[in-house]
Amino acid sequence: MNLENITKMLHPGEQILWASMPQPGKLMDEQNKKRNMRWFITVGVVFAVLMFLYVRACVGAGTNVFSVVTVLFVLVAALIFLDPITTYRMLRKVEYAITTERVIVCSPSTQSFSLPRSKAAPVQVIDENGVSTLVIGTDKTPRIGKLRPLGLTGLFVTEDDKAVAHPVFYRVPDAQEAVRILESAEN
């Protein structure tokens, strides 16, 4: 595992106690297939209805801006449609770490963030097919279908009128070691 991105985030004297990367499984694994199919169908239906209404309005008005707006509609729909695919691809590059000071989520393609270890309790363990997902520092339980994107962004919880990202270590193979380290810091 390449820890280059995490080591760049370390403070002077801070040491890595545990590091891992997610094992996102397949794009359409049994847990995410239902969510992804709903997403693809919803985006497709909304796009088709909007295009139908737009074409009808253009024909009725006799305007010639049809091609420019159509290209914009298609581009926006493609970006929205591809969201589950880009999330899956980005998740394969994410690194998670527990250091002497913080719990870190580091991604080269999204904003990296950390949570002080003093705020890393409780730790929720969600088991699935021999791999575990850890939700760190909050009692708020995420929906199972949302775990994959939360592995990139974290689970946002309102604290002191601010949204704070709590790390979600998505499908890490050595989760029990991470839990042991986090629980030992509490004592």
Side-chain angles (χ1 to χ4, degrees), residues 90-110:
M90 288 189 313
L91 196 57
R92 292 176 25 200
K93 298 175 185 173
V94 172
E95 299 170 358
Y96 303 127
I98 300 170
T99 70
T100 51
E101 298 175 20
R102 302 177 288 160
V103 177
I104 301 173
V105 175
C106 185
S107 174
S109 51
T110 61

Side-chain angles (χ1 to χ4, degrees), residues 45-61 66 73:
V45 168
V46 169
F47 177 73
V49 168
L50 288 176
M51 282 304 296
F52 172 76
L53 294 173
Y54 176 69
V55 168
R56 202 170 109 196
C58 284
V59 170
F66 178 73
F73 267 159

Side-chain angles (χ1 to χ4, degrees), residues 7-180:
T7 54
K8 289 178 187 176
M9 291 182 65
L10 296 178
H11 299 146
E14 187 175 17
Q15 296 177 347
I16 298 172
L17 303 175
W18 176 91
S20 189
M21 295 179 75
Q23 295 181 339
K26 296 178 183 175
L27 177 65
M28 298 294 264
D29 60 13
E30 79 179 57
Q31 187 162 5
N32 291 290
K33 185 175 184 175
K34 189 175 183 180
R35 177 185 178 273
N36 289 347
M37 290 305 291
R38 263 189 280 168
W39 181 261
F40 293 145
I41 290 168
T42 302
V43 170
V45 168
V46 169
F47 177 73
V49 168
L50 288 176
M51 282 304 296
F52 172 76
L53 294 173
Y54 176 69
V55 168
R56 202 170 109 196
C58 284
V59 170
T63 182
N64 60 357
V65 294
F66 178 73
S67 60
V68 174
V69 175
T70 302
V71 168
L72 289 175
F73 267 159
V74 169
L75 288 175
V76 169
L79 289 173
I80 293 170
F81 187 78
L82 294 174
D83 178 63
I85 297 167
T86 55
T87 298
Y88 173 78
R89 292 186 73 199
M90 288 189 313
L91 196 57
R92 292 176 25 200
K93 298 175 185 173
V94 172
E95 299 170 358
Y96 303 127
I98 300 170
T99 70
T100 51
E101 298 175 20
R102 302 177 288 160
V103 177
I104 301 173
V105 175
C106 185
S107 174
S109 51
T110 61
Q111 186 173 345
S112 301
F113 66 95
S114 63
L115 184 73
R117 284 201 41 203
S118 61
K119 294 185 176 184
V123 179
Q124 298 176 51
V125 180
I126 302 168
D127 289 316
E128 49 181 323
N129 302 330
V131 229
S132 298
T133 297
L134 304 179
V135 181
I136 300 170
T138 179
D139 286 327
K140 184 177 177 183
T141 304
R143 289 194 343 233
I144 298 296
K146 297 279 187 186
L147 289 176
R148 184 177 273 172
L150 291 176
L152 292 172
T153 61
L155 178 63
F156 282 85
V157 177
T158 304
E159 295 177 1
D160 301 327
D161 297 327
K162 276 178 39 179
V164 177
H166 287 266
V168 175
F169 289 176
Y170 181 70
R171 292 179 54 114
V172 288
D174 47 353
Q176 294 309 316
E177 178 65 14
V179 171
R180 187 190 65 73

